[in-house]
């Protein structure tokens, strides 16, 4: 029963080409959801879609830059046509580019704000009507926003990244007041350190040293640890909303 608990549901996963997004797509598909995989690297998405299909699942790979409204809207049309109306949206694509603020790395600030905040809101704008439509048919409907422990934590050099994640957490809290009454659940995940490609994009040396140092001294989360709890969250009965999930490595304090 548990294995097929998401049968009949269509899931959209942004940032599905690696890390938490790819693992979540696998977990949702294994439980019976049809999954739409969105990211820019189509080769990665095609590989993941093949894997899911070979395991008996349904997957649609779509090259999408979520910062581009048109690209998102075209993807949404394809998903509705090929898979059906989404009732799960994993709003996960993100980037983390820490550096001392006084170095004025304005391009990095913009990349983080454009993707982690503006694009995340765009994703909700594009798929929100699908979520309410799905809920009207009596099934569970879920918006899962991937925030971070940085939403509440303070770390040197991470001010802009943490601010983008604080925005996502507070956006999620507020959205419950709009979506909850329409039977759409809003859940925010605030993971601690997870071993993914996120850290590979960091260029500031002291931030890199801190992250890769943590990998040596602590057993960090794997993407599958987070994906497992996301799959659990969206497979609860429809009146149960796990709204805020802080998932941390045991030894991270
Ligand atoms: N790793 C951690 O320690 C950690 C902790 C807390 C929260 N998080 C959050 O978890 C989420 C996933 O990150 P991750 O750790 O799994 O890192 P990741 O492996 O680097 O994944 C990031 C994903 O975002 C996609 N992406 C980036 N720019 C995009 C764009 N413009 N359009 C569409 N997709 C885009 C990437 O795919 P393409 O490059 O192919 O587009 C990739 O699939 C992020 O929101 C991150 O802030 C991570």
């Amino acid at each position: 029963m548990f294995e097929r608990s998401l049968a009949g549901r269509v899931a959209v996963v942004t940032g599905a080409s690696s890390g938490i997004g790819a693992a979540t797509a696998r977990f949702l598909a294994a439980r019976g959801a049809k999954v739409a995989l969105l990211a820019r690297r189509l080769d990665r998405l095609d590989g993941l879609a093949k894997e899911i299909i070979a395991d008996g699942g349904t997957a649609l790979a779509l090259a999408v830059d979520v910062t581009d409204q048109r690209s998102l809207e075209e993807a949404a049309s394809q998903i509705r046509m090929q898979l059906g109306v989404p009732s799960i949206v994993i709003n996960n694509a993100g980037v983390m580019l820490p550096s001392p603020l006084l170095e004025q790395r304005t391009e990095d600030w913009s990349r983080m704000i454009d993707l982690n905040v503006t694009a995340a809101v765009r994703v909700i704008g594009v798929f929100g009507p699908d979520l309410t439509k799905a809920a009207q048919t009596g099934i569970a409907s879920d918006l899962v926003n991937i925030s971070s422990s940085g939403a509440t934590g303070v770390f040197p050099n991470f001010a802009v990244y943490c601010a983008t994640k604080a925005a996502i957490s507070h956006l999620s809290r507020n959205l419950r007041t709009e979506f909850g009454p329409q039977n759409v659940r809003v859940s925010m995940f605030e993971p601690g350190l997870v071993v993914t490609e996120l850290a590979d994009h960091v260029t500031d040396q002291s931030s890199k040293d801190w992250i890769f140092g943590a990998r040596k001294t602590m057993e960090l989360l794997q993407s599958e640890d987070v994906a497992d709890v996301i799959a659990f969250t969206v497979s609860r009965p429809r009146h149960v909303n796990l709204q805020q999930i802080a998932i941390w490595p045991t030894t991270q304090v």
Side-chain angles (χ1 to χ4, degrees), residues 10-157:
V10 174
V12 177
V13 183
T14 71
S17 59
S18 59
I20 295 169
T24 302
R26 278 194 196 93
F27 272 62
L28 298 181
R31 282 158 183 73
K34 295 178 186 173
V35 290
L37 313 171
L38 277 56
R40 294 166 303 175
R41 289 171 293 175
L42 187 58
D43 54 333
R44 293 278 202 105
L45 299 179
D46 280 339
L48 177 57
K50 273 191 193 136
E51 211 183 286
I52 289 171
I53 291 164
D55 285 344
T58 304
L60 174 64
L62 294 165
V64 176
D65 180 341
V66 293
T67 63
D68 178 48
Q69 180 78 16
R70 220 166 96 193
S71 167
L72 255 180
E73 283 170 0
E74 281 169 12
S77 303
Q78 285 296 319
I79 294 165
R80 290 176 200 126
M81 246 178 350
Q82 297 193 42
L83 301 182
V85 176
S87 68
I88 300 173
V89 173
I90 312 295
N91 203 2
N92 164 74
V95 66
M96 180 182 77
L97 304 167
S99 61
L101 196 98
L102 294 179
E103 284 184 8
Q104 313 276 354
R105 299 196 191 184
T106 53
E107 272 187 29
D108 288 353
W109 303 345
S110 296
R111 277 185 63 198
M112 287 189 281
I113 294 166
D114 291 351
L115 180 61
N116 300 359
V117 183
T118 311
V121 179
R122 283 183 193 281
V123 167
I124 298 167
V126 168
F127 292 105
D130 294 310
L131 293 177
T132 53
K133 193 172 169 185
Q136 281 160 15
T137 67
I139 65 169
S141 190
D142 288 280
L143 169 64
V144 177
N145 290 324
I146 306 301
S147 178
S148 163
S149 56
T152 50
V154 290
F155 308 96
N157 304 336

